[in-house]
């Protein structure tokens, strides 16, 4: 969304806040209006912003030297910025986004069923704007790379970066269903044989919150790599992969939109659904974009079948993603900008 505004409307006062040591910092700086997180400029902008837009959580935008509670109770309502949730994926667990705890003035959605599900359980109603996510505008298939991309999401009950330093009690990572499956896959002799036979690589991209757990993992095959997640790389990897494998990540919507074959390795489904995810309006078994497996062997069976078939998305899955998403026109960022402008105009009119 930021890139779209900088390129299409360079006169607008739009700023992107990012850690100076982020791998994306130098790339984005070429666009201008990129501000180092927690700098004096960042703090000044927070005091004057008309709009605060984020894809994860408003607290990520708060300078580190500020007291979060103090900002929430003494500053936020006085500044009165329009708070926009851009989303970081199609929201398939609506109960996790409660208006009373998140407090957004505008929430972006991409599908009519997603909008309806959020309306029914979150307390959000007129705040919902079905514009489609801006990031979908950049989703165009890239050249094949002979790679299989395996992306996992995080678990509330396992040690993660989001809870670091909070003293929160979690399960041990070692021995968890998540650790057992990922380790077995990365060290699988059969996986190595499949990759050799079809001349592919497998790239494993753990969720940012759990990435620390894989710094010392050594896959058994040189055809398997463990990557460190960064925002730009994720989209590039999804665009260029030949097959997309995931446990419960919402990135499967992006992969299906791009026409990639999808495999769901739901090795801990019951535990994940009872301890991490809220109930979903989206049934992967009936509505998903590929086969669903629960074991390592089952996952490898499906992977070999897809590779043998030439890595082609089946028509039934193409039709499902086309029916789900409201827009397929790569104009989501423009609609989003217009929706924000309309909300700002409504506020200005109400104050007259």
């Amino acid at each position: 969304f930021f890139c779209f505004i900088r390129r299409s409307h360079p006169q607008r006062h739009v700023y992107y806040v990012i850690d100076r040591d982020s791998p994306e910092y130098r790339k984005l700086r070429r666009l201008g209006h990129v501000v180092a997180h927690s700098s004096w400029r960042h703090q000044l902008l927070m005091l004057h912003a008309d709009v605060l837009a984020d894809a994860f959580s408003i607290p990520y935008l708060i300078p580190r030297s500020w007291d979060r509670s103090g900002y929430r109770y003494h500053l936020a309502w006085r500044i009165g910025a329009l708070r926009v949730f851009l989303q970081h994926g199609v929201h398939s667990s609506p109960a996790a986004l409660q208006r009373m705890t998140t407090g957004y003035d505008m929430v972006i959605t991409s599908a009519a069923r997603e909008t309806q599900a959020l309306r029914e359980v979150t307390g959000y109603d007129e705040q919902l704007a079905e514009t489609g996510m801006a990031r979908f505008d950049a989703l165009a298939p890239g050249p094949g790379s002979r790679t299989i991309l395996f992306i996992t999401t995080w678990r509330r009950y396992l040690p993660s970066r989001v809870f670091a330093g909070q003293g929160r009690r979690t399960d041990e990572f070692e021995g968890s269903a998540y650790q057992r499956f990922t380790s077995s896959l990365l060290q699988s002799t059969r996986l190595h044989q499949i990759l050799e036979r079809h001349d592919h690589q497998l790239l494993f991209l753990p969720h940012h919150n759990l990435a620390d757990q894989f710094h010392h993992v050594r896959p058994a095959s040189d055809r398997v790599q463990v990557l460190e997640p960064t925002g730009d790389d994720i989209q590039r990897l999804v665009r260029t992969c030949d097959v997309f494998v995931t446990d419960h990540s919402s990135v499967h919507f992006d992969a299906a939109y791009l026409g990639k074959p999808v495999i769901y390795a739901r090795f801990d489904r019951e535990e994940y659904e009872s301890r991490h995810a809220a109930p979903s309006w989206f049934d992967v078994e009936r509505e998903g974009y590929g086969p669903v497996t629960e074991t390592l062997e089952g996952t490898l069976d499906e992977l070999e079948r897809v590779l043998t078939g030439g890595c082609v998305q089946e028509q039934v899955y193409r039709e499902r993603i086309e029916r789900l998403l409201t827009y397929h026109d790569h104009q989501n960022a423009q609609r989003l900008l217009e929706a924000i402008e309309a909300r700002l105009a409504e506020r200005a009119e109400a104050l007259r």
Side-chain angles (χ1 to χ4, degrees), residues 58-348:
I58 286 290
Y60 285 109
L61 281 175
I62 300 174
R64 280 184 282 272
S65 60
W66 290 13
D67 178 76
R68 289 186 176 185
S69 296
Y71 168 77
R72 185 181 305 114
Y73 292 113
H74 302 295
L75 279 179
W77 62 273
R78 286 185 167 94
I79 299 167
L82 185 79
R83 292 160 296 184
V84 180
F85 187 34
L86 301 174
Q87 297 265 31
H88 54 278
V90 176
H91 212 297
S92 54
S93 298
L97 186 69
Q98 293 297 320
R99 185 183 177 195
M100 290 297 293
T101 55
T102 54
Y104 287 106
D105 302 301
M106 187 174 173
V107 175
I108 302 308
T109 62
S110 303
R113 291 183 57 213
E114 177 193 18
T115 304
Q116 184 59 31
L118 288 168
R119 181 172 288 120
E120 289 174 356
V121 302
T122 65
Y124 285 111
D125 189 1
E126 67 272 9
Q127 297 84 9
L128 301 171
E130 196 173 306
T131 67
M133 285 189 298
R135 83 170 189 219
F136 279 174
D137 291 349
L139 288 181
S145 58
R146 306 201 71 80
T147 60
I148 299 144
L149 181 61
F150 178 33
I151 289 185
T152 58
T153 191
W154 67 299
R155 309 294 193 271
R156 297 178 186 276
Y157 46 87
L158 295 179
S160 68
R161 291 176 178 177
V162 73
F163 297 136
Q166 296 184 17
R168 181 175 177 135
R169 297 188 63 181
T170 59
D171 294 358
E172 291 289 334
F173 181 78
E174 194 69 28
S176 65
Y178 181 98
Q179 183 271 330
R180 293 197 308 272
F181 182 87
T182 52
S183 295
S184 297
L185 179 67
L186 296 176
Q187 297 168 355
S188 168
T189 300
R190 184 184 171 197
L191 172 62
H192 174 73
Q193 293 169 346
I194 292 172
L195 296 175
E196 283 279 325
R197 191 156 49 246
H198 295 278
D199 190 23
H200 271 68
Q201 286 190 315
L202 184 136
L203 305 179
F204 174 46
L205 191 68
H207 190 280
H208 171 80
N209 286 339
L210 291 177
D212 292 343
Q213 306 297 334
F214 295 93
H215 284 164
H216 306 294
V217 171
R218 295 292 179 266
S221 171
D222 58 3
R223 287 184 174 270
V224 178
Q225 295 182 48
V226 179
L227 306 179
E228 177 70 21
T230 60
D232 183 61
D233 278 348
I234 293 175
Q235 189 171 76
R236 176 182 58 80
L237 291 168
V238 175
R239 289 178 55 243
T240 59
C241 74
D242 296 325
V243 185
F244 181 82
V245 184
T246 188
D247 53 355
H248 312 278
S249 172
S250 64
V251 181
H252 72 99
F253 290 107
D254 301 57
Y257 181 93
L258 283 165
K260 308 292 183 179
V262 175
I263 299 172
Y264 299 96
R266 294 166 69 81
F267 51 85
D268 63 345
R269 179 177 62 178
E270 292 185 6
E271 181 180 53
Y272 177 84
E273 292 179 348
S274 63
R275 301 184 63 190
H276 179 93
S280 178
W281 54 270
F282 187 83
D283 188 322
V284 171
E285 279 77 12
R286 292 190 300 104
E287 305 172 284
Y289 309 115
V292 180
T293 71
E294 296 185 1
T295 65
L296 175 61
E297 290 305 309
T299 302
L300 294 177
D301 287 344
E302 292 296 342
L303 179 58
E304 184 149 36
R305 183 184 65 81
V306 171
L307 290 172
T308 301
C311 304
V312 177
Q313 184 185 51
E314 296 177 33
Q315 183 63 25
V316 61
Y317 303 132
R318 164 54 56 186
E319 293 173 354
R320 286 181 182 179
I321 192 67
E322 288 178 352
R323 286 197 301 268
L324 179 76
L325 297 178
T326 305
Y327 301 104
H328 298 264
D329 58 3
H330 297 274
Q331 297 295 316
N332 297 330
Q334 182 61 41
R335 271 189 298 272
L336 172 55
L337 179 60
E338 291 171 359
I340 291 174
E341 289 176 331
R343 298 295 172 97
L344 290 173
E346 289 172 5
R347 281 192 166 192

Side-chain angles (χ1 to χ4, degrees), residues 13 15 42-53 61 71 76 78-82 344 347:
H13 298 289
Y15 301 88
H42 174 199
Q43 295 180 61
L44 186 64
L45 288 168
M46 286 292 289
L47 295 173
H48 296 278
D50 294 315
V51 178
L52 292 178
L61 281 175
Y71 168 77
R78 286 185 167 94
I79 299 167
L82 185 79
L344 290 173
R347 281 192 166 192

